[in-house]
Structure formats: structure tokens, C-alpha cells
Amino acid sequence: MPDRLPCPPAHRAPEGSSPARSGRLAPQAALYGRDRPLPALAPCVHYAGSERFIAKALALQGERRLNFDVAADCEDGAPVGGEREHARMIARLIAGDGNRCDRAGARIHDLSHPAWRDDLEILVGECGDRLAFLTLPKAESADDVLRFADAVALGVARRGLGREIPLAVMIETHGAVHDAWRIAAVPGLVSLDFGTLDFVSAHHGAIPAAAMESPGQFDHPLLRRAKCETAAAALAHAVVPAHGVTRALDDPQAVFEDARRARQEFGFLRMWSIHPSQIEPIVRAMQPSPAEISEAAAVLAAAQAADWAPLAAAGKLHDRGSYRYFWSVLQRAHAAGSALPESAAGYFDATHD
């Protein structure tokens, strides 16, 4: 991995190389047309609640050795009775010079908490032009998410921001799992985040505490069902599924294995970090291997040269189905900051700042 990387990409999918460079259609235009693209999110979102830890995360992000987003936490991070002051602190940090990448968002209180509207008023009002995303926890239904989205849109309009703030929703209740497909269809949503700990605790002890960590969190049937439903609903609606935390704070290998299982077995494309030491193993587990990147670049270069018609490469048939797969590999690699072959790097020139 290079010593210095560009800031994590914004919430958009790469458009590909310009026709002027190649004289041929770029992958996104050739393979998807007007279909909604998957948001180009970094593979890790790092949660921090205190002023010191948020500032530390922003400084680490600014060094640009790893591609990750920062989520400042109004929910679990705020002291009881000090919610407004806590939200103002977060707004100040996001609006400040320390936020060099403009890839910091915030998690507000859930809709049953009296502070959730204050969170939105302060965050949208004081740093809305720089918020990378807003996350709603403990949603029970699509109606909750629509209520949240409408409140954000109203705040944006009142402020006259002239932009949409991307939204994330946590799936951690029975109702949210049941309504995951309707939730994923809400406009403006960029990620569905599965919250393991709260989902387990919502089962009144029917799921053992061991399922809050590995291997139980991946093997217990109720958790497997909920994670599969979350990821399937998200991907069907071009929304990024994000996996919850690993509780081990001093075991990078455990973090890597959790991220690997979340990616390979359940289709999650992003994962939470709750300690700086977790960021690197998450990014490493989520990004494609060098061999996958090399194969994807070679197949797409040949496909582009053939005007995206079916072809044979290394004794295998390829058509638009496999082209889309390999394009997703390159998009994940780019989002993670992986080194790309020269032929593939050109596909992303149009999105570089």
C-alpha cells in the first residue's frame, strides 16, 4: 500500500475513463447506463465519540495512509444532559480545519430520544455543507427512515445548502430486519449498517451473549438470517451493506478474520472500526487481492477493446455479466486505495479531485 493516498472517495461511483482518452465507452457507461450506481464508499467507517478521539481520527485520516471514513457519535458518545453541547463539539470539528478530507459524518440519537431533532438542527445548521453522511440508529421501519430523511431534507432546505446529505441507517431491531427491503429503497440512502450488539440484546436473552462476537456472530442462525437479509436488501437497491464492530480491541487478526467473513460469506462491503488499530485490518480484508485486481484490469481492457462484446480470455468466456463483476472489483480496489494497473487507473481519472 502506498505511503500516501488520496482522501477517501465521495459518495458516488466512478464514471470511468473519458471517451476522449480511449475512444471507447468507459466501464460504467457501457455496463450500467442509467442504472443507479453503488456509492463509492471507503471500506471502513471509524466511530469515535469523545472530542479527543474524533480529533485523533481526523488527524489519522488526514495522513491518508488508509482510506476510511470517520463517524462522530452523538448517540453513545454524548453525556446525559449534555447532548446539545456534544453535538456542537462534533459540528465544530467537522467544520474545522482538522477535517481535511471532508469524509466525516455523524450518528444522531434514535427517533425515540428527545435529542434527535437537536442533533439534526445543530449538525445540519453548523456543518451541513461538510457532512459526509448522517446515520440513524435503531430504526424500526421504513416509516422511521422516511421521517428521518424528511427532517434532514427540511434542515438542508432551511439552511439553503444546495446539496443532499447522504444517509445511513442502522439495522439492529426486529422491525428493521423485517422492513429492510423497504428501508433500502428510501431515496438518499447510501449504506445499511448491521448492529450486532443491539440486535442480540433485543432478543431478551434468547440469543446467547457469545453471539456478540466471533464465531457466534456469524454462525448463529438468527444472526445469519438477519445479516443476509440486510446485505441482500442493500445490494438490491444499490446501497452499501456495512458490518458492525469487532469487540476485540487488541487483536488485529481477529478483526481481519471478522471483516473477511463479513465480506466473503455475507457480501458486506464496509465495516465499522471502534479503535484505530482496527482500521488497517478491516481495509486489508475488504480490498481485493492483487491477483483479483490484475485479472479484472486485464479482462476489462480486453472487453473495452472489443467494444464490450463477449470474448474469450485465458480459456474462459466473458460477457457483460463477468464484466460487471470485474468492474466492481476495480471499484472496491479504488475505494480502498489499492494500487491499480495503469490501464485500470485511467477509469477513475474523472472522479479525482
Side-chain angles (χ1 to χ4, degrees):
M1 184 172 291
D3 291 336
R4 190 169 180 82
L5 297 170
C7 284
H11 292 279
R12 63 180 186 268
E15 297 173 1
S17 60
S18 66
R21 281 192 62 183
S22 65
R24 301 178 185 276
L25 280 177
Q28 188 66 36
L31 301 176
Y32 288 95
R34 296 183 179 181
D35 293 348
R36 179 182 174 182
L38 194 71
L41 302 186
C44 176
V45 54
H46 178 70
Y47 269 73
S50 72
E51 182 170 7
R52 181 167 71 92
F53 289 151
I54 297 168
K56 181 178 179 181
L58 290 173
L60 180 62
Q61 186 190 58
E63 293 175 4
R64 306 180 192 179
R65 290 197 301 264
L66 291 166
N67 271 2
F68 67 96
D69 288 343
V70 174
D73 194 1
C74 286
E75 186 192 26
D76 292 340
V80 176
E83 290 88 357
R84 287 187 66 86
E85 292 76 12
H86 190 78
R88 288 195 181 99
M89 175 272 293
I90 287 174
R92 184 176 67 254
L93 290 176
I94 292 176
D97 294 339
N99 181 16
R100 290 187 279 167
C101 290
D102 281 328
R103 293 301 315 142
R107 175 170 69 170
I108 68 166
H109 286 85
D110 69 85
L111 299 187
S112 69
H113 195 286
W116 80 272
R117 289 191 181 276
D118 289 341
D119 290 345
L120 286 186
E121 177 188 354
I122 292 167
L123 292 168
V124 176
E126 299 181 15
C127 64
D129 55 338
R130 299 186 66 186
L131 272 170
F133 55 90
L134 283 168
T135 300
L136 175 69
K138 298 178 177 64
E140 288 286 351
S141 65
D143 289 341
D144 282 352
V145 178
L146 288 168
R147 184 181 173 199
F148 165 59
D150 288 345
V152 173
L154 181 60
V156 167
R158 286 175 174 170
R159 176 80 188 279
L161 293 179
R163 63 171 295 224
E164 293 183 0
I165 296 175
L167 307 178
V169 172
M170 295 189 64
I171 305 295
E172 51 189 338
T173 68
H174 302 287
V177 172
H178 178 75
D179 224 12
W181 287 72
R182 289 183 62 224
I183 290 172
V186 172
L189 205 64
V190 295
S191 75
L192 283 187
D193 301 8
F194 185 79
T196 303
L197 305 188
D198 281 288
F199 184 76
V200 171
S201 67
H203 282 74
H204 308 287
I207 299 177
M212 291 186 177
E213 52 199 352
S214 296
Q217 68 161 319
F218 294 110
D219 294 341
H220 193 285
L222 288 175
L223 280 162
R224 291 184 67 88
R225 167 187 168 271
K227 290 183 181 185
C228 287
E229 197 70 13
T230 298
L235 293 168
H237 293 86
V239 171
V240 173
H243 195 270
V245 303
T246 293
R247 299 174 70 191
L249 301 180
D250 56 357
D251 191 344
Q253 187 59 34
V255 177
F256 174 85
E257 289 299 330
D258 282 356
R260 183 192 62 79
R261 289 197 71 178
R263 169 68 192 94
Q264 293 186 1
E265 296 181 27
F266 295 87
F268 286 92
L269 301 177
R270 180 169 162 99
M271 182 167 163
W272 287 25
S273 159
I274 53 173
H275 190 277
S277 67
Q278 295 184 334
I279 298 172
E280 188 277 335
I282 290 173
V283 173
R284 181 161 45 91
M286 288 284 175
Q287 67 188 359
S289 69
E292 289 177 294
I293 295 171
S294 178
E295 181 182 15
V299 169
L300 289 180
Q304 190 176 45
D307 290 326
W308 306 102
L311 58 80
K316 297 179 181 179
L317 175 66
H318 292 282
D319 60 15
R320 295 175 68 85
S322 57
Y323 299 157
R324 288 191 184 100
Y325 171 79
F326 286 120
W327 177 225
S328 72
V329 169
L330 293 185
Q331 288 177 293
R332 287 197 295 117
H334 178 254
S338 304
L340 297 177
E342 185 177 351
S343 62
Y347 297 143
F348 300 92
D349 287 349
T351 65
H352 288 167
D353 294 330

